[in-house]
Structure formats: C-alpha cells, structure tokens
Amino acid sequence: MKKIRLFTPGPCAVPEEVMLEMARPFEHHRTDWFKEFMKQAAEKLQTVMCTKNECIIITGSGTAAAEAAIVGCNPAGSKMLTIEGGKFGQRWGLIAEQYGIPVHRHEIEWGTAIDPQWIADYLKNAPDITSVMLTHSETSTATLCDVEAIAKIVKGAGKLFLVDGITSVGALPVKPDEWGIDVLITGAQKSLMLPPGLGFLSLSEEAWNVIEGNKDQHAFYLNLIKARKSAQGHDTPFTPAHVMIRGLVKALDMLVEEGMENVWKRVAAMAEATRKAGQAIGLEVFSKRPSDSVTAFCCPEGVKVKDIRNELQARYGIQSAGGQDHLKGKIFRIGHMGYVDDMDTMVAVAALEQVLYKLGHKFELGAGVTAAQKVFAERL
Ligand SMILES: *Cc1c(COP(=O)(O)O)cnc(C)c1O
C-alpha cells in the first residue's frame, strides 16, 4: 500500500469532495449551467481574497494571471519596479523584459525580505516608476515580506501596486482593500485546494482604469479587457477549464465555511509546529523572515537533500520540495497549503524524523513530534 501525501508547495492536496465534483458529467460551457458556476466562483473568490474588487478567472496557471496583470497594467510610458528575492520575484521582471516594458529589477539576498524603507527611499528618487510588483510569500525561499507596510508606501507615492499572492491568498492574512493592493494574483494549486490550471486576479478600480486605457497592449489570450467584458456576463472570452471552475466553487465553499480567519490560524499553527519540530531535531530554518505557507530547512551536515526527499517519497509517499537554482542541495521545503491539517503535519514531522534517523543525523528520536504536538495541543 502506498498513500500519496503531497507536502510540496504546489500542487497541494485536494479534498475528495472537490475531486468528485469535477468527476461528474458536465455540459457545454456556453450555457446557463456554466454561467451559474462562474457567477458563484467570482462571488466566493471575493470572500476568500478578502476584497470587494472584481475577481477575474484565467484558464492557465498563476503565471498566466501574473502575465496578464503585468502586460495590462503597464501601458506605453510605464516603468515597473520589481523586488527579486527568489525564483518568483525574478519571474515578474523577466516577463516585463520579454514584453519590452521598462523595469528596474531590484535584487535582494535570497531568504531575506525587502525592507519597506528601501522602497520608500527608492520611490522618492524615481518619479518615472508607475507600478511596483512583488511576491508576498516567496515560495522558493519560504520568505514573507511586509506587504501591509509596503502597500502604504507604494499607494502613498501614487503608484499601482501588484502583488503575487500565489502562496499567501488562502493561507496567510492578505487584505487588499484595507492595505491598498491594486492587483492581487493567485492560483489554483496552492492554497485554493484544486489541481493546477486556473489563475485568479482581484483588481481595483484604479487598476482597471489603467488596463482599460491600455488599448493596444500586447496581449491576446491574456487580455484583461476582454476577460472583464466576458466576466460581466458570467462568461469567458475563450474555452475555460470549466470543469475546474465547477471544482473551484466547491473548494471555495469549504474555505468560506471554515472562515478565512480560521484558515489563517490553521496554517499558522502548522508552520509553527513544523519550525519548532525542526529546531528540536537540529534543523535550521533557512529564511530570515519565514512564511507560514511553506517551511524551508537547511540540509543538516552529513545528509543529502536528495536522500531525504527520496526516502520520504519511497517509504511514506510524502512528496517534498528541494531548493531551486543556487539553493539546490542546500534546502528542502515542506508545505502547509491545501487540504492539510494538524494531524497531517504530525505525520510529515514523524516521517521526517524517521528518515533523518535512518540517514544518520543525530538527534533524540521523537523530539520533533513532541515539539509539534505541544504547539497543536496548546491551541486546543
Ligand atoms: C507557484 C508560484 C508561482 C507560479 O505559479 P504557477 O501556477 O506555477 O504558474 C508564482 N509565485 C509564487 C509565489 C508561487 O508559489
């Protein structure tokens, strides 16, 4: 017997109810039957994304939604500032360059978060910047930045603010309307408990004004003007992944029923338990400002990341992630997103202990599980 236990930071575990919903017979997409799913999904997305702004559904992964935002929000004469402290932050600068959009790509050390004061100082001396884009929870380094403080600075300077919330929405507190995020981007396969294939955006009126004025933007499939026009009639410009949108309604129902505050608490507990467990068994957390949606541990001496991940997979069906680029072989990551709870996390911690024990890492067996259990028990 081999259970599949997804602890990768995307794709993440999907509830059986969502899988079953998507297995049901379906109709054509240009029907009232589908429009009802679109209507419900757009409304429920507002609750889960904590916004009154219009939400758009894109068929394509999170990157597609981000690309639509970048190309739509930067008409001729624009210049974007991107903050790059990992693989995803980097991607938004690369997309801008690909479209010929002027961009200042500010690199920071991987595993650190941007100091909001740096952005304030930079914007003071850069009147040509029209938009700022950053990644809230940088999944590649498991690092969280202070989007609330940064939003105040960016909006205070009168710039458009785009946030990659792909591993923060549905896991960590994100409040676009309260904080001042113009475009919030997320995707299906992280905290929204779906397989990969959909991207989502919430857009402020200020963002729409820029996008609607950007008539000759270099986007056809990812054109948000077209997407908005269709969405107003609960429709899509092209054939949507409509079976997934049906599953989305189910997944959003589950999140809404739990309540976003409770979702955030559940994720925070899993992250704290995992970090404490790691500490107890001699593992160092990689990030200087850890995100609660995924934990990155430095690989302990004398052990190889490849072996940890292979053993977790082969013995317990647990899939984890390694490091990317220069962090390859240096860190491994365990996610706290999707359909996971306290007890799933206890399983992951126990399995990690077993595997590290077998690989010769020295620690007191059971110390990690005890530390994690304490975090959960104290919150009962
Ligand atoms: C996964 C991820 C992306 C990329 O999303 P895709 O759905 O793979 O295109 C972007 N940003 C962050 C923070 C992510 O975790």
Side-chain angles (χ1 to χ4, degrees):
M1 188 185 87
K2 185 61 56 73
K3 279 198 185 182
I4 297 171
R5 297 177 166 109
L6 271 184
F7 285 92
T8 38
C12 304
V14 173
E16 293 84 348
E17 294 97 298
V18 173
M19 298 297 285
L20 288 171
E21 185 70 13
M22 294 189 294
R24 297 177 67 189
F26 61 80
E27 297 190 22
H28 191 267
H29 57 288
R30 303 296 182 209
T31 56
D32 288 341
W33 176 85
F34 174 63
K35 282 183 183 164
E36 183 55 31
F37 286 117
M38 272 297 278
K39 182 166 172 286
Q40 288 194 32
E43 283 169 13
K44 292 173 204 280
L45 267 175
Q46 288 180 316
T47 308
V48 167
M49 295 178 87
C50 299
T51 182
K52 292 200 164 57
N53 288 334
E54 209 170 316
C55 293
I56 295 290
I57 302 170
I58 300 271
T59 291
S61 74
T63 304
E67 185 161 334
I70 293 166
V71 68
C73 291
N74 291 289
S78 302
K79 185 172 176 185
M80 190 159 85
L81 166 67
T82 58
I83 307 298
E84 310 193 352
K87 198 79 189 158
F88 296 111
Q90 229 169 38
R91 185 172 296 174
W92 317 135
L94 289 170
I95 290 176
E97 283 178 354
Q98 185 83 38
Y99 281 95
I101 296 165
V103 58
H104 178 87
R105 301 174 55 188
H106 179 64
E107 287 180 31
I108 56 172
E109 190 194 330
W110 286 30
T112 68
I114 184 72
D115 177 3
Q117 191 56 43
W118 182 90
I119 297 183
D121 293 342
Y122 183 84
L123 291 180
K124 237 173 248 157
N125 302 310
D128 55 335
I129 296 289
T130 52
S131 64
V132 176
M133 179 162 184
L134 51 73
T135 296
H136 188 188
S137 164
E138 176 50 78
T139 318
S140 62
T141 65
T143 299
L144 188 75
C145 69
D146 188 351
V147 160
E148 184 176 7
I150 297 165
K152 205 173 268 165
I153 291 162
V154 172
K155 294 319 292 173
K159 320 291 184 191
L160 212 57
F161 190 31
L162 287 68
V163 173
D164 162 7
I166 296 181
T167 55
S168 61
V169 171
L172 322 172
V174 197
K175 300 175 179 173
D177 302 2
E178 203 179 306
W179 296 354
I181 299 171
D182 290 300
V183 184
L184 180 62
I185 298 144
T186 193
Q189 81 278 22
K190 310 280 170 91
S191 297
L192 295 197
M193 306 197 299
L194 284 163
L198 294 175
F200 314 105
L201 307 104
S202 86
L203 301 109
S204 70
E205 266 318 304
E206 197 177 326
W208 280 121
N209 285 341
V210 173
I211 293 163
E212 301 267 7
N214 190 0
K215 297 282 183 234
D216 46 23
Q217 56 179 285
H218 297 294
F220 187 89
Y221 187 81
L222 297 176
N223 191 312
L224 288 170
I225 303 175
K226 280 193 276 200
R228 182 186 210 188
K229 215 164 162 194
S230 296
Q232 281 165 350
H234 312 302
D235 210 340
T236 56
F238 314 104
T239 309
H242 75 326
V243 168
M244 281 200 65
I245 291 169
R246 180 185 204 168
L248 171 66
V249 172
K250 192 82 185 172
L252 293 173
D253 273 339
M254 292 176 70
L255 290 169
V256 171
E257 195 188 336
E258 184 176 0
M260 296 320 291
E261 300 274 345
N262 293 329
V263 170
W264 300 337
K265 278 188 204 152
R266 169 168 55 82
V267 173
M270 291 188 289
E272 197 198 332
T274 304
R275 290 191 296 260
K276 290 254 167 78
Q279 248 171 18
I281 61 172
L283 294 179
E284 191 192 336
V285 171
F286 170 72
S287 176
K288 301 228 165 39
R289 200 176 185 282
S291 168
D292 281 346
S293 51
V294 52
T295 296
F297 286 122
C298 301
C299 190
E301 214 136 320
V303 182
K304 287 195 176 70
V305 165
K306 183 166 66 71
D307 295 335
I308 297 173
R309 294 184 55 221
N310 285 346
E311 288 283 329
L312 282 173
Q313 158 78 39
R315 292 181 187 277
Y316 305 113
I318 290 183
Q319 299 193 356
S320 59
Q324 292 166 287
D325 293 356
H326 66 273
L327 294 180
K328 202 164 182 191
K330 301 228 161 67
I331 62 168
F332 62 97
R333 294 172 293 153
I334 293 170
H336 315 298
M337 293 178 287
Y339 191 51
V340 286
D341 66 7
D342 302 10
M343 287 302 126
D344 296 318
T345 303
M346 295 280 289
V347 166
V349 166
L352 182 59
E353 283 201 36
Q354 312 255 105
V355 161
L356 285 172
Y357 190 83
K358 161 145 201 304
L359 293 173
H361 177 57
K362 296 283 175 256
F363 64 99
E364 190 192 328
L365 197 62
V369 169
T370 302
Q373 190 163 30
K374 225 173 239 165
V375 170
F376 293 129
E378 275 164 10
R379 290 181 183 228
L380 289 179

